[in-house]
Amino acid sequence: MDRLDLWAGRWPARPGEIVLDRPANGFFSFLLGVKFTVREGQAFTVVGLASSVSRSSEAWVTPGQAAALRPAVTQMLYRLTAAGTDAEVRAGTAAIAAGLPAGALLGSQSYLVVQRDAGRAAAAFLPFLTVFGVLGLVVAVLIVVNVVSGAVVAGYRHIGLLKALGFTPNQVVAVYLTMVLVPALAGAALGTVAGAVAARPLLDDVGAGVFTVSTSPWVYAATLAGMPAVAVLAALAPALRAHRLTAARAISAGAPPGRGRGLRVQRLLAGAPLPRPVSLGLGLPFGRPGRAALTLAAVVLGAATVTLAAGLSMTMTAYGAAAQRVGHVHTVVHAGQARNHQTPPRHGDAGIEALLRALPGTRYVTADAWVNLHLAGHPQPIQGRFLRGDSGTLGETLVEGRWLRGEERWWRPRRSWTSAASRSATGSPSPWAAGGRRRRSSARPWTAPRT
């Protein structure tokens, strides 16, 4: 039903043992062996660390230990026969809830929401990686074509000598294709291995230790066969041309292009009212159209790459400036907390704000507090942001919709919007708790409460 990864320690085997939900990161290894006591009075020892793709639980204990904790709610996992779309999952949820008493269902979560949430990090940078990957592939093809075709053309004299020594035209073509194919196969093999090894850390980072991203075998097969094929095709055209040349003509390679190649265009340009160097320069590509096309493609591709890189850099710079609220927030003052071994403030909340407003040069002051809220039926805490004062000057960027207009509305990040809608699909009020007190809110879109 869920994909659990026990990445450190072991599963609990007896009462008093617990496994915590933490990301697969060695930083959290210090938690193994830690002992603590919960509010119900039971003592626990951390014997393992696991990660859950759906984050449906914060910890795991033995069934007997779970019963001893006397939980107020119970979580059930269902596998539906038809669950390919959101509508089918909602229909299955409604069928399950139909036989329950009113108010028994506190919330639900679809695996489709979990799937989209787990892949959002990869989906964010996948377009950029795809574009740069395509550009890199095209550049590699152009380099191979330029180098291989240039090597064959530069070897025309050698081709002429081979023909003069008695090699048949087919043998000459076979010799040059073999000369190109051997290093191409070696380079493709080394490049495929190096690419697979270099991509593994990136793919593991995308999975974040929760799921594994693998590469299909056909990708490696296409790489091993594709680049040698490109090299052979790039060598085949000039090699076939050399196949038709006589030994004397091949030895005298380097002569200007044959008669008639682009002469009509060159004559038209010669009669145009242009400076002679310009008309000659414009007519030269028509004498060697293949080489001109490769050069033009390289120039266009280079310009596109520079434009994309510059635009991406400007976008990320603007995003960083918006995230850091550059130009809006100049100073952030944190109140000390004794639980973090810091010196607690001597003034109260209102006194601190009044003290900051009285400082010379202060123009705006905003009180900003992050509070963990607990929604019934949802195991993970939700962070609520409470603002007071000149919050309109913080420079926050609104991506979609509008800011809240009253204390009854909530705002939540877009990635969890669907899961919030699924939890309120029953239409019943959802209880939440902040600071130990339970509240009830109506089933409506959530935004950060503002005071």
Side-chain angles (χ1 to χ4, degrees), residues 150-188:
V152 176
V153 172
Y156 274 5
R157 181 178 177 84
H158 183 250
I159 292 175
L161 293 176
L162 291 178
K163 287 188 173 184
L165 291 175
F167 281 76
T168 64
N170 290 335
Q171 289 175 336
V172 172
V173 173
V175 166
Y176 265 82
L177 291 183
T178 303
M179 291 172 57
V180 169
L181 185 59
V182 171
L185 285 174

PDB file of all heavy atoms in Angstrom, residues 150-188:
ATOM      1  N   GLY A 150      35.441  16.013 -42.237  1.00  0.00           N
ATOM      2  CA  GLY A 150      36.686  16.723 -42.501  1.00  0.00           C
ATOM      3  C   GLY A 150      37.877  15.785 -42.602  1.00  0.00           C
ATOM      4  O   GLY A 150      38.769  15.980 -43.430  1.00  0.00           O
ATOM      5  N   ALA A 151      37.890  14.743 -41.752  1.00  0.00           N
ATOM      6  CA  ALA A 151      38.991  13.782 -41.815  1.00  0.00           C
ATOM      7  C   ALA A 151      38.992  13.010 -43.127  1.00  0.00           C
ATOM      8  O   ALA A 151      40.051  12.764 -43.724  1.00  0.00           O
ATOM      9  CB  ALA A 151      38.897  12.816 -40.643  1.00  0.00           C
ATOM     10  N   VAL A 152      37.800  12.645 -43.610  1.00  0.00           N
ATOM     11  CA  VAL A 152      37.737  11.915 -44.881  1.00  0.00           C
ATOM     12  C   VAL A 152      38.141  12.815 -46.040  1.00  0.00           C
ATOM     13  O   VAL A 152      38.894  12.399 -46.938  1.00  0.00           O
ATOM     14  CB  VAL A 152      36.315  11.350 -45.089  1.00  0.00           C
ATOM     15  CG1 VAL A 152      36.199  10.677 -46.454  1.00  0.00           C
ATOM     16  CG2 VAL A 152      35.982  10.349 -43.995  1.00  0.00           C
ATOM     17  N   VAL A 153      37.650  14.065 -46.026  1.00  0.00           N
ATOM     18  CA  VAL A 153      38.024  14.989 -47.102  1.00  0.00           C
ATOM     19  C   VAL A 153      39.523  15.265 -47.086  1.00  0.00           C
ATOM     20  O   VAL A 153      40.184  15.316 -48.136  1.00  0.00           O
ATOM     21  CB  VAL A 153      37.205  16.288 -46.976  1.00  0.00           C
ATOM     22  CG1 VAL A 153      37.712  17.335 -47.951  1.00  0.00           C
ATOM     23  CG2 VAL A 153      35.734  16.014 -47.221  1.00  0.00           C
ATOM     24  N   ALA A 154      40.066  15.437 -45.869  1.00  0.00           N
ATOM     25  CA  ALA A 154      41.509  15.672 -45.778  1.00  0.00           C
ATOM     26  C   ALA A 154      42.316  14.460 -46.216  1.00  0.00           C
ATOM     27  O   ALA A 154      43.496  14.592 -46.576  1.00  0.00           O
ATOM     28  CB  ALA A 154      41.870  16.045 -44.348  1.00  0.00           C
ATOM     29  N   GLY A 155      41.722  13.275 -46.232  1.00  0.00           N
ATOM     30  CA  GLY A 155      42.430  12.059 -46.640  1.00  0.00           C
ATOM     31  C   GLY A 155      42.249  11.696 -48.087  1.00  0.00           C
ATOM     32  O   GLY A 155      42.548  10.554 -48.471  1.00  0.00           O
ATOM     33  N   TYR A 156      41.714  12.637 -48.895  1.00  0.00           N
ATOM     34  CA  TYR A 156      41.550  12.329 -50.312  1.00  0.00           C
ATOM     35  C   TYR A 156      42.875  11.946 -50.977  1.00  0.00           C
ATOM     36  O   TYR A 156      42.919  11.068 -51.846  1.00  0.00           O
ATOM     37  CB  TYR A 156      40.929  13.526 -51.041  1.00  0.00           C
ATOM     38  CG  TYR A 156      39.411  13.543 -50.993  1.00  0.00           C
ATOM     39  CD1 TYR A 156      38.716  12.595 -50.257  1.00  0.00           C
ATOM     40  CD2 TYR A 156      38.681  14.508 -51.685  1.00  0.00           C
ATOM     41  CE1 TYR A 156      37.339  12.604 -50.198  1.00  0.00           C
ATOM     42  CE2 TYR A 156      37.300  14.522 -51.637  1.00  0.00           C
ATOM     43  CZ  TYR A 156      36.639  13.565 -50.892  1.00  0.00           C
ATOM     44  OH  TYR A 156      35.267  13.576 -50.853  1.00  0.00           O
ATOM     45  N   ARG A 157      43.937  12.617 -50.613  1.00  0.00           N
ATOM     46  CA  ARG A 157      45.234  12.284 -51.202  1.00  0.00           C
ATOM     47  C   ARG A 157      45.621  10.844 -50.855  1.00  0.00           C
ATOM     48  O   ARG A 157      46.123  10.089 -51.693  1.00  0.00           O
ATOM     49  CB  ARG A 157      46.302  13.254 -50.703  1.00  0.00           C
ATOM     50  CG  ARG A 157      47.692  13.007 -51.291  1.00  0.00           C
ATOM     51  CD  ARG A 157      48.673  14.051 -50.777  1.00  0.00           C
ATOM     52  NE  ARG A 157      50.005  13.774 -51.285  1.00  0.00           N
ATOM     53  CZ  ARG A 157      50.454  14.158 -52.476  1.00  0.00           C
ATOM     54  NH1 ARG A 157      49.645  14.850 -53.292  1.00  0.00           N
ATOM     55  NH2 ARG A 157      51.683  13.889 -52.873  1.00  0.00           N
ATOM     56  N   HIS A 158      45.361  10.455 -49.595  1.00  0.00           N
ATOM     57  CA  HIS A 158      45.629   9.084 -49.183  1.00  0.00           C
ATOM     58  C   HIS A 158      44.745   8.106 -49.943  1.00  0.00           C
ATOM     59  O   HIS A 158      45.173   7.002 -50.320  1.00  0.00           O
ATOM     60  CB  HIS A 158      45.417   8.948 -47.682  1.00  0.00           C
ATOM     61  CG  HIS A 158      45.735   7.589 -47.138  1.00  0.00           C
ATOM     62  ND1 HIS A 158      44.768   6.728 -46.676  1.00  0.00           N
ATOM     63  CD2 HIS A 158      46.919   6.916 -47.017  1.00  0.00           C
ATOM     64  CE1 HIS A 158      45.321   5.598 -46.275  1.00  0.00           C
ATOM     65  NE2 HIS A 158      46.636   5.688 -46.463  1.00  0.00           N
ATOM     66  N   ILE A 159      43.494   8.505 -50.211  1.00  0.00           N
ATOM     67  CA  ILE A 159      42.599   7.660 -50.991  1.00  0.00           C
ATOM     68  C   ILE A 159      43.141   7.465 -52.406  1.00  0.00           C
ATOM     69  O   ILE A 159      43.104   6.358 -52.970  1.00  0.00           O
ATOM     70  CB  ILE A 159      41.183   8.271 -51.011  1.00  0.00           C
ATOM     71  CG1 ILE A 159      40.556   8.210 -49.616  1.00  0.00           C
ATOM     72  CG2 ILE A 159      40.288   7.566 -52.024  1.00  0.00           C
ATOM     73  CD1 ILE A 159      39.205   8.898 -49.514  1.00  0.00           C
ATOM     74  N   GLY A 160      43.641   8.556 -52.984  1.00  0.00           N
ATOM     75  CA  GLY A 160      44.223   8.445 -54.318  1.00  0.00           C
ATOM     76  C   GLY A 160      45.422   7.509 -54.348  1.00  0.00           C
ATOM     77  O   GLY A 160      45.605   6.734 -55.303  1.00  0.00           O
ATOM     78  N   LEU A 161      46.258   7.574 -53.308  1.00  0.00           N
ATOM     79  CA  LEU A 161      47.411   6.680 -53.245  1.00  0.00           C
ATOM     80  C   LEU A 161      46.964   5.224 -53.110  1.00  0.00           C
ATOM     81  O   LEU A 161      47.556   4.318 -53.720  1.00  0.00           O
ATOM     82  CB  LEU A 161      48.311   7.069 -52.076  1.00  0.00           C
ATOM     83  CG  LEU A 161      49.020   8.433 -52.199  1.00  0.00           C
ATOM     84  CD1 LEU A 161      49.805   8.730 -50.932  1.00  0.00           C
ATOM     85  CD2 LEU A 161      49.952   8.438 -53.416  1.00  0.00           C
ATOM     86  N   LEU A 162      45.926   4.970 -52.313  1.00  0.00           N
ATOM     87  CA  LEU A 162      45.418   3.610 -52.188  1.00  0.00           C
ATOM     88  C   LEU A 162      44.904   3.085 -53.526  1.00  0.00           C
ATOM     89  O   LEU A 162      45.132   1.923 -53.893  1.00  0.00           O
ATOM     90  CB  LEU A 162      44.301   3.559 -51.142  1.00  0.00           C
ATOM     91  CG  LEU A 162      44.713   3.780 -49.679  1.00  0.00           C
ATOM     92  CD1 LEU A 162      43.486   3.744 -48.778  1.00  0.00           C
ATOM     93  CD2 LEU A 162      45.720   2.731 -49.230  1.00  0.00           C
ATOM     94  N   LYS A 163      44.192   3.927 -54.266  1.00  0.00           N
ATOM     95  CA  LYS A 163      43.708   3.497 -55.576  1.00  0.00           C
ATOM     96  C   LYS A 163      44.868   3.254 -56.521  1.00  0.00           C
ATOM     97  O   LYS A 163      44.844   2.315 -57.342  1.00  0.00           O
ATOM     98  CB  LYS A 163      42.763   4.554 -56.154  1.00  0.00           C
ATOM     99  CG  LYS A 163      41.409   4.607 -55.468  1.00  0.00           C
ATOM    100  CD  LYS A 163      40.471   5.522 -56.216  1.00  0.00           C
ATOM    101  CE  LYS A 163      39.063   5.451 -55.628  1.00  0.00           C
ATOM    102  NZ  LYS A 163      38.100   6.263 -56.393  1.00  0.00           N
ATOM    103  N   ALA A 164      45.891   4.097 -56.449  1.00  0.00           N
ATOM    104  CA  ALA A 164      47.057   3.905 -57.317  1.00  0.00           C
ATOM    105  C   ALA A 164      47.792   2.617 -56.976  1.00  0.00           C
ATOM    106  O   ALA A 164      48.427   2.005 -57.860  1.00  0.00           O
ATOM    107  CB  ALA A 164      48.003   5.104 -57.197  1.00  0.00           C
ATOM    108  N   LEU A 165      47.737   2.176 -55.727  1.00  0.00           N
ATOM    109  CA  LEU A 165      48.398   0.930 -55.318  1.00  0.00           C
ATOM    110  C   LEU A 165      47.575  -0.300 -55.675  1.00  0.00           C
ATOM    111  O   LEU A 165      48.049  -1.431 -55.468  1.00  0.00           O
ATOM    112  CB  LEU A 165      48.659   0.946 -53.809  1.00  0.00           C
ATOM    113  CG  LEU A 165      49.711   1.950 -53.326  1.00  0.00           C
ATOM    114  CD1 LEU A 165      49.787   1.952 -51.814  1.00  0.00           C
ATOM    115  CD2 LEU A 165      51.081   1.635 -53.925  1.00  0.00           C
ATOM    116  N   GLY A 166      46.350  -0.114 -56.173  1.00  0.00           N
ATOM    117  CA  GLY A 166      45.562  -1.256 -56.603  1.00  0.00           C
ATOM    118  C   GLY A 166      44.322  -1.540 -55.789  1.00  0.00           C
ATOM    119  O   GLY A 166      43.616  -2.522 -56.073  1.00  0.00           O
ATOM    120  N   PHE A 167      44.011  -0.736 -54.769  1.00  0.00           N
ATOM    121  CA  PHE A 167      42.787  -0.936 -54.000  1.00  0.00           C
ATOM    122  C   PHE A 167      41.575  -0.618 -54.874  1.00  0.00           C
ATOM    123  O   PHE A 167      41.575   0.370 -55.616  1.00  0.00           O
ATOM    124  CB  PHE A 167      42.768  -0.047 -52.760  1.00  0.00           C
ATOM    125  CG  PHE A 167      43.592  -0.564 -51.616  1.00  0.00           C
ATOM    126  CD1 PHE A 167      44.977  -0.457 -51.625  1.00  0.00           C
ATOM    127  CD2 PHE A 167      42.976  -1.165 -50.530  1.00  0.00           C
ATOM    128  CE1 PHE A 167      45.730  -0.928 -50.569  1.00  0.00           C
ATOM    129  CE2 PHE A 167      43.727  -1.644 -49.466  1.00  0.00           C
ATOM    130  CZ  PHE A 167      45.114  -1.529 -49.486  1.00  0.00           C
ATOM    131  N   THR A 168      40.568  -1.443 -54.778  1.00  0.00           N
ATOM    132  CA  THR A 168      39.332  -1.164 -55.497  1.00  0.00           C
ATOM    133  C   THR A 168      38.564  -0.057 -54.782  1.00  0.00           C
ATOM    134  O   THR A 168      38.788   0.200 -53.592  1.00  0.00           O
ATOM    135  CB  THR A 168      38.453  -2.420 -55.575  1.00  0.00           C
ATOM    136  OG1 THR A 168      38.055  -2.800 -54.248  1.00  0.00           O
ATOM    137  CG2 THR A 168      39.210  -3.574 -56.233  1.00  0.00           C
ATOM    138  N   PRO A 169      37.637   0.615 -55.470  1.00  0.00           N
ATOM    139  CA  PRO A 169      36.865   1.675 -54.810  1.00  0.00           C
ATOM    140  C   PRO A 169      36.108   1.182 -53.573  1.00  0.00           C
ATOM    141  O   PRO A 169      36.065   1.876 -52.560  1.00  0.00           O
ATOM    142  CB  PRO A 169      35.909   2.153 -55.908  1.00  0.00           C
ATOM    143  CG  PRO A 169      36.629   1.859 -57.185  1.00  0.00           C
ATOM    144  CD  PRO A 169      37.382   0.585 -56.934  1.00  0.00           C
ATOM    145  N   ASN A 170      35.541  -0.037 -53.661  1.00  0.00           N
ATOM    146  CA  ASN A 170      34.820  -0.567 -52.499  1.00  0.00           C
ATOM    147  C   ASN A 170      35.753  -0.819 -51.324  1.00  0.00           C
ATOM    148  O   ASN A 170      35.393  -0.617 -50.163  1.00  0.00           O
ATOM    149  CB  ASN A 170      34.089  -1.852 -52.867  1.00  0.00           C
ATOM    150  CG  ASN A 170      32.925  -1.590 -53.804  1.00  0.00           C
ATOM    151  OD1 ASN A 170      32.369  -0.488 -53.825  1.00  0.00           O
ATOM    152  ND2 ASN A 170      32.569  -2.591 -54.604  1.00  0.00           N
ATOM    153  N   GLN A 171      36.954  -1.279 -51.616  1.00  0.00           N
ATOM    154  CA  GLN A 171      37.923  -1.517 -50.546  1.00  0.00           C
ATOM    155  C   GLN A 171      38.343  -0.205 -49.892  1.00  0.00           C
ATOM    156  O   GLN A 171      38.528  -0.136 -48.667  1.00  0.00           O
ATOM    157  CB  GLN A 171      39.146  -2.246 -51.104  1.00  0.00           C
ATOM    158  CG  GLN A 171      38.883  -3.702 -51.475  1.00  0.00           C
ATOM    159  CD  GLN A 171      40.086  -4.347 -52.132  1.00  0.00           C
ATOM    160  OE1 GLN A 171      40.944  -3.675 -52.713  1.00  0.00           O
ATOM    161  NE2 GLN A 171      40.152  -5.676 -52.055  1.00  0.00           N
ATOM    162  N   VAL A 172      38.490   0.843 -50.686  1.00  0.00           N
ATOM    163  CA  VAL A 172      38.856   2.147 -50.131  1.00  0.00           C
ATOM    164  C   VAL A 172      37.758   2.644 -49.185  1.00  0.00           C
ATOM    165  O   VAL A 172      38.026   3.124 -48.082  1.00  0.00           O
ATOM    166  CB  VAL A 172      39.094   3.158 -51.264  1.00  0.00           C
ATOM    167  CG1 VAL A 172      39.274   4.565 -50.694  1.00  0.00           C
ATOM    168  CG2 VAL A 172      40.307   2.760 -52.085  1.00  0.00           C
ATOM    169  N   VAL A 173      36.480   2.515 -49.614  1.00  0.00           N
ATOM    170  CA  VAL A 173      35.362   2.944 -48.755  1.00  0.00           C
ATOM    171  C   VAL A 173      35.340   2.125 -47.469  1.00  0.00           C
ATOM    172  O   VAL A 173      35.137   2.649 -46.367  1.00  0.00           O
ATOM    173  CB  VAL A 173      34.029   2.809 -49.519  1.00  0.00           C
ATOM    174  CG1 VAL A 173      32.860   3.094 -48.588  1.00  0.00           C
ATOM    175  CG2 VAL A 173      33.997   3.775 -50.692  1.00  0.00           C
ATOM    176  N   ALA A 174      35.566   0.794 -47.588  1.00  0.00           N
ATOM    177  CA  ALA A 174      35.554  -0.069 -46.406  1.00  0.00           C
ATOM    178  C   ALA A 174      36.672   0.304 -45.440  1.00  0.00           C
ATOM    179  O   ALA A 174      36.488   0.291 -44.214  1.00  0.00           O
ATOM    180  CB  ALA A 174      35.682  -1.521 -46.826  1.00  0.00           C
ATOM    181  N   VAL A 175      37.850   0.635 -45.968  1.00  0.00           N
ATOM    182  CA  VAL A 175      38.974   1.015 -45.111  1.00  0.00           C
ATOM    183  C   VAL A 175      38.640   2.267 -44.315  1.00  0.00           C
ATOM    184  O   VAL A 175      38.859   2.337 -43.088  1.00  0.00           O
ATOM    185  CB  VAL A 175      40.244   1.232 -45.961  1.00  0.00           C
ATOM    186  CG1 VAL A 175      41.320   1.940 -45.152  1.00  0.00           C
ATOM    187  CG2 VAL A 175      40.768  -0.092 -46.469  1.00  0.00           C
ATOM    188  N   TYR A 176      38.059   3.276 -44.969  1.00  0.00           N
ATOM    189  CA  TYR A 176      37.776   4.525 -44.257  1.00  0.00           C
ATOM    190  C   TYR A 176      36.611   4.378 -43.287  1.00  0.00           C
ATOM    191  O   TYR A 176      36.610   4.982 -42.212  1.00  0.00           O
ATOM    192  CB  TYR A 176      37.518   5.643 -45.274  1.00  0.00           C
ATOM    193  CG  TYR A 176      38.772   6.427 -45.553  1.00  0.00           C
ATOM    194  CD1 TYR A 176      39.704   5.956 -46.465  1.00  0.00           C
ATOM    195  CD2 TYR A 176      39.048   7.600 -44.868  1.00  0.00           C
ATOM    196  CE1 TYR A 176      40.872   6.642 -46.713  1.00  0.00           C
ATOM    197  CE2 TYR A 176      40.224   8.297 -45.101  1.00  0.00           C
ATOM    198  CZ  TYR A 176      41.133   7.815 -46.023  1.00  0.00           C
ATOM    199  OH  TYR A 176      42.291   8.500 -46.234  1.00  0.00           O
ATOM    200  N   LEU A 177      35.616   3.594 -43.635  1.00  0.00           N
ATOM    201  CA  LEU A 177      34.523   3.380 -42.690  1.00  0.00           C
ATOM    202  C   LEU A 177      35.011   2.632 -41.457  1.00  0.00           C
ATOM    203  O   LEU A 177      34.575   2.914 -40.331  1.00  0.00           O
ATOM    204  CB  LEU A 177      33.388   2.609 -43.363  1.00  0.00           C
ATOM    205  CG  LEU A 177      32.616   3.360 -44.452  1.00  0.00           C
ATOM    206  CD1 LEU A 177      31.476   2.494 -44.983  1.00  0.00           C
ATOM    207  CD2 LEU A 177      32.070   4.680 -43.937  1.00  0.00           C
ATOM    208  N   THR A 178      35.934   1.672 -41.653  1.00  0.00           N
ATOM    209  CA  THR A 178      36.494   0.948 -40.511  1.00  0.00           C
ATOM    210  C   THR A 178      37.335   1.875 -39.645  1.00  0.00           C
ATOM    211  O   THR A 178      37.275   1.813 -38.405  1.00  0.00           O
ATOM    212  CB  THR A 178      37.335  -0.233 -40.998  1.00  0.00           C
ATOM    213  OG1 THR A 178      36.528  -1.077 -41.822  1.00  0.00           O
ATOM    214  CG2 THR A 178      37.885  -1.028 -39.835  1.00  0.00           C
ATOM    215  N   MET A 179      38.108   2.750 -40.281  1.00  0.00           N
ATOM    216  CA  MET A 179      38.936   3.701 -39.536  1.00  0.00           C
ATOM    217  C   MET A 179      38.074   4.639 -38.684  1.00  0.00           C
ATOM    218  O   MET A 179      38.485   5.058 -37.600  1.00  0.00           O
ATOM    219  CB  MET A 179      39.795   4.520 -40.503  1.00  0.00           C
ATOM    220  CG  MET A 179      40.890   3.718 -41.198  1.00  0.00           C
ATOM    221  SD  MET A 179      41.722   4.678 -42.486  1.00  0.00           S
ATOM    222  CE  MET A 179      42.284   6.079 -41.549  1.00  0.00           C
ATOM    223  N   VAL A 180      36.875   4.934 -39.162  1.00  0.00           N
ATOM    224  CA  VAL A 180      35.980   5.806 -38.402  1.00  0.00           C
ATOM    225  C   VAL A 180      35.216   5.026 -37.344  1.00  0.00           C
ATOM    226  O   VAL A 180      34.990   5.503 -36.224  1.00  0.00           O
ATOM    227  CB  VAL A 180      35.014   6.518 -39.374  1.00  0.00           C
ATOM    228  CG1 VAL A 180      33.903   7.219 -38.596  1.00  0.00           C
ATOM    229  CG2 VAL A 180      35.764   7.508 -40.236  1.00  0.00           C
ATOM    230  N   LEU A 181      34.811   3.800 -37.671  1.00  0.00           N
ATOM    231  CA  LEU A 181      33.950   3.036 -36.790  1.00  0.00           C
ATOM    232  C   LEU A 181      34.661   2.577 -35.526  1.00  0.00           C
ATOM    233  O   LEU A 181      34.062   2.573 -34.443  1.00  0.00           O
ATOM    234  CB  LEU A 181      33.405   1.812 -37.542  1.00  0.00           C
ATOM    235  CG  LEU A 181      32.376   0.955 -36.806  1.00  0.00           C
ATOM    236  CD1 LEU A 181      31.166   1.785 -36.424  1.00  0.00           C
ATOM    237  CD2 LEU A 181      31.973  -0.237 -37.646  1.00  0.00           C
ATOM    238  N   VAL A 182      35.931   2.202 -35.614  1.00  0.00           N
ATOM    239  CA  VAL A 182      36.641   1.688 -34.432  1.00  0.00           C
ATOM    240  C   VAL A 182      36.732   2.727 -33.321  1.00  0.00           C
ATOM    241  O   VAL A 182      36.321   2.471 -32.177  1.00  0.00           O
ATOM    242  CB  VAL A 182      38.036   1.167 -34.834  1.00  0.00           C
ATOM    243  CG1 VAL A 182      38.859   0.840 -33.592  1.00  0.00           C
ATOM    244  CG2 VAL A 182      37.909  -0.075 -35.714  1.00  0.00           C
ATOM    245  N   PRO A 183      37.231   3.946 -33.581  1.00  0.00           N
ATOM    246  CA  PRO A 183      37.247   4.936 -32.481  1.00  0.00           C
ATOM    247  C   PRO A 183      35.847   5.369 -32.056  1.00  0.00           C
ATOM    248  O   PRO A 183      35.628   5.727 -30.891  1.00  0.00           O
ATOM    249  CB  PRO A 183      38.039   6.104 -33.062  1.00  0.00           C
ATOM    250  CG  PRO A 183      37.946   5.946 -34.532  1.00  0.00           C
ATOM    251  CD  PRO A 183      37.875   4.471 -34.786  1.00  0.00           C
ATOM    252  N   ALA A 184      34.873   5.334 -32.987  1.00  0.00           N
ATOM    253  CA  ALA A 184      33.506   5.715 -32.610  1.00  0.00           C
ATOM    254  C   ALA A 184      32.920   4.717 -31.622  1.00  0.00           C
ATOM    255  O   ALA A 184      32.250   5.107 -30.657  1.00  0.00           O
ATOM    256  CB  ALA A 184      32.630   5.810 -33.856  1.00  0.00           C
ATOM    257  N   LEU A 185      33.155   3.423 -31.847  1.00  0.00           N
ATOM    258  CA  LEU A 185      32.662   2.409 -30.917  1.00  0.00           C
ATOM    259  C   LEU A 185      33.322   2.553 -29.550  1.00  0.00           C
ATOM    260  O   LEU A 185      32.655   2.464 -28.513  1.00  0.00           O
ATOM    261  CB  LEU A 185      32.920   1.017 -31.484  1.00  0.00           C
ATOM    262  CG  LEU A 185      32.000   0.572 -32.626  1.00  0.00           C
ATOM    263  CD1 LEU A 185      32.465  -0.771 -33.182  1.00  0.00           C
ATOM    264  CD2 LEU A 185      30.559   0.468 -32.144  1.00  0.00           C
ATOM    265  N   ALA A 186      34.635   2.798 -29.537  1.00  0.00           N
ATOM    266  CA  ALA A 186      35.341   2.966 -28.261  1.00  0.00           C
ATOM    267  C   ALA A 186      34.836   4.196 -27.517  1.00  0.00           C
ATOM    268  O   ALA A 186      34.581   4.159 -26.305  1.00  0.00           O
ATOM    269  CB  ALA A 186      36.842   3.062 -28.505  1.00  0.00           C
ATOM    270  N   GLY A 187      34.651   5.293 -28.245  1.00  0.00           N
ATOM    271  CA  GLY A 187      34.154   6.506 -27.602  1.00  0.00           C
ATOM    272  C   GLY A 187      32.741   6.354 -27.096  1.00  0.00           C
ATOM    273  O   GLY A 187      32.402   6.840 -26.008  1.00  0.00           O
ATOM    274  N   ALA A 188      31.878   5.663 -27.873  1.00  0.00           N
ATOM    275  CA  ALA A 188      30.504   5.454 -27.437  1.00  0.00           C
ATOM    276  C   ALA A 188      30.448   4.583 -26.183  1.00  0.00           C
ATOM    277  O   ALA A 188      29.658   4.842 -25.268  1.00  0.00           O
ATOM    278  CB  ALA A 188      29.686   4.823 -28.557  1.00  0.00           C
TER     279      ALA A 188
END
